């Protein structure tokens, strides 16, 4: 039987969360961080631990079938790779930054100036679209020190919290690209492995859906059930269970995480009481 070969970072910011996602999907991984390839006992999958920068080429060549990788890396490497699912973790952005004493945020600041970056393709494409001509200096690491040593007038680099920029006397001005971890696949995946990928993707989507929703229970006067139900649109219909106290029922449903507090306010306004919120481990629809 075929096995789906998945690549994850050997080390770096995606490593731990990639393994956690596999665990949440019920895929038990043998501890093999110091190995190139490890097997999975309970799912037709092999895991390859690779250098982050090598993953896009391995995907394009079909050496691995799928990978958990950052969007920013795929954009920079410009390979023939399809994004299958956005995974919601390791969110960051590729941004331009300038010394904090520079007062303008306008892109025109970079006209004719030097920019240090480890994302030359992403930066070049962006500047060409905007009609800006700059001198791009490619640096493999510690890009943020370039302005301080006189190598560049600004930088283009990956930004998460912005603390590294602040420590080096820089400030973010323009976001070029927003990124997060994604599941990507090769363009040469065969039919048998597509079936395995569909099963894997089903598990991932169940996990992601659960993370974005909460299970909610509340007590409601019977005359308010219709009003309360209209506030809970996530499932087809909420579960209604009569309580021992006459005229009251318990309603069970789920709510979206992003609208959590707004929904709670609406429920209270419509007569809901004794509201309980419970995390969801998996959500299969």
């Amino acid at each position: 039987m075929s096995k789906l070969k998945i690549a994850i970072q050997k080390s770096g910011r995606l490593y731990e969360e990639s393994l956690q996602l596999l665990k949440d999907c019920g895929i038990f991984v043998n501890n093999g961080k110091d190995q190139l390839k490890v097997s999975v006992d309970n799912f037709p999958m092999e895991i390859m631990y690779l250098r982050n920068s090598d993953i896009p080429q391995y995907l394009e060549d079909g050496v691995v079938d799928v990978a958990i990788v950052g969007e920013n890396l795929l954009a920079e490497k410009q390979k023939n790779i399809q994004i299958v699912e956005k995974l919601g973790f390791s969110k960051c952005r590729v941004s331009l930054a300038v010394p904090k004493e520079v007062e303008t945020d306008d892109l025109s600041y970079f006209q004719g100036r030097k920019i240090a970056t480890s994302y030359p393709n992403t930066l070049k494409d962006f500047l060409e679209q905007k009609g800006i001509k700059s001198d791009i200096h490619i640096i493999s690491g510690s890009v943020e020190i370039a302005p301080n040593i006189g190598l560049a007038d600004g930088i283009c680099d990956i930004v998460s919290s912005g603390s590294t920029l602040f420590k080096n006397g820089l400030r973010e001005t323009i976001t070029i690209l927003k990124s997060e971890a994604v599941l990507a696949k090769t363009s040469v995946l065969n039919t048998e492995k597509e079936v395995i990928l569909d099963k894997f993707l089903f598990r991932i989507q169940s996990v992601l859906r659960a993370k974005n929703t909460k299970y909610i229970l509340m007590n409601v006067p019977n005359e308010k059930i219709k009003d309360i139900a209209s506030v809970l649109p996530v499932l087809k219909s909420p579960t209604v269970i009569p309580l021992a106290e006459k005229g009251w029922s318990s309603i069970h449903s789920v709510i979206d995480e992003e609208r959590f507090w707004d929904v709670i306010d609406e429920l209270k306004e419509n007569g809901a009481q004794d509201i309980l919120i419970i995390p969801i481990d998996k959500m299969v629809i």
Side-chain angles (χ1 to χ4, degrees), residues 44-230:
M45 175 180 285
E46 289 180 338
I47 298 172
M48 298 185 71
Y49 296 99
L50 303 175
R51 289 194 309 172
N52 188 46
S53 58
D54 291 339
I55 291 177
Q57 188 65 58
Y58 275 57
L59 272 172
E60 186 174 58
D61 293 343
V63 176
V64 296
D65 304 312
V66 295
I68 297 175
V69 64
E71 283 181 282
N72 57 302
L73 183 62
L74 295 182
E76 175 61 27
K77 295 297 184 179
Q78 300 179 339
K79 301 297 184 181
N80 181 26
I81 297 167
Q82 179 184 345
I83 292 176
V84 179
E85 184 75 28
K86 294 191 175 187
L87 302 176
F89 60 83
S90 292
K91 292 186 177 181
C92 61
R93 53 200 179 273
V94 178
S95 294
L96 290 163
V98 299
K100 61 183 179 181
E101 60 269 18
V102 175
E103 297 181 355
T104 182
D105 287 354
D106 197 277
L107 183 60
S108 61
Y109 166 80
F110 292 99
Q111 187 71 262
R113 295 183 186 267
K114 298 177 182 179
I115 308 175
T117 187
S118 54
Y119 292 89
N121 293 326
T122 303
L123 177 59
K124 181 182 177 182
D125 289 347
F126 176 77
L127 294 178
E128 286 180 352
Q129 292 173 11
K130 301 297 183 180
I132 299 294
K133 294 184 178 180
S134 300
D135 185 5
I136 299 176
H137 285 245
I138 303 174
I139 300 178
S140 58
S142 301
V143 175
E144 62 278 354
I145 70 171
N148 291 329
I149 61 176
L151 182 63
D153 301 296
I155 70 168
C156 173
D157 200 15
I158 190 170
V159 179
S160 294
S161 66
S163 61
T164 302
L165 294 180
F166 180 79
K167 291 176 183 177
N168 286 275
L170 303 174
R171 61 183 187 84
E172 186 178 3
T173 56
I174 299 169
T175 297
I176 293 177
L177 172 72
K178 291 184 178 180
S179 173
E180 63 184 89
V182 298
L183 181 70
K185 74 170 185 175
T186 180
S187 61
V188 293
L189 200 62
N190 64 39
T191 302
E192 189 174 359
K193 289 188 176 182
E194 283 281 7
V195 172
I196 301 172
L197 175 57
D198 286 343
K199 292 179 179 179
F200 180 43
L201 187 58
F202 175 78
R203 295 190 185 193
I204 289 177
Q205 290 170 343
S206 297
V207 170
L208 296 180
R209 196 179 293 117
K211 289 182 178 180
N212 294 326
T213 54
K214 299 291 184 184
Y215 191 80
I216 185 168
L217 307 83
M218 72 206 81
N219 294 333
V220 178
N222 288 343
E223 66 271 15
K224 292 288 186 176
I225 290 177
K226 186 175 181 181
D227 294 333
I228 293 293
S230 67

Side-chain angles (χ1 to χ4, degrees), residues 222 239-243 248-252:
N222 288 343
T239 300
V240 180
I241 304 173
L243 296 180
W248 285 79
S249 295
S250 176
I251 291 184
H252 298 206

Side-chain angles (χ1 to χ4, degrees), residues 267-279:
L267 293 173
K268 291 176 64 178
E269 290 171 3
N270 282 280
Q273 299 180 15
D274 307 322
I275 301 173
L276 299 179
I277 309 298
I278 302 173

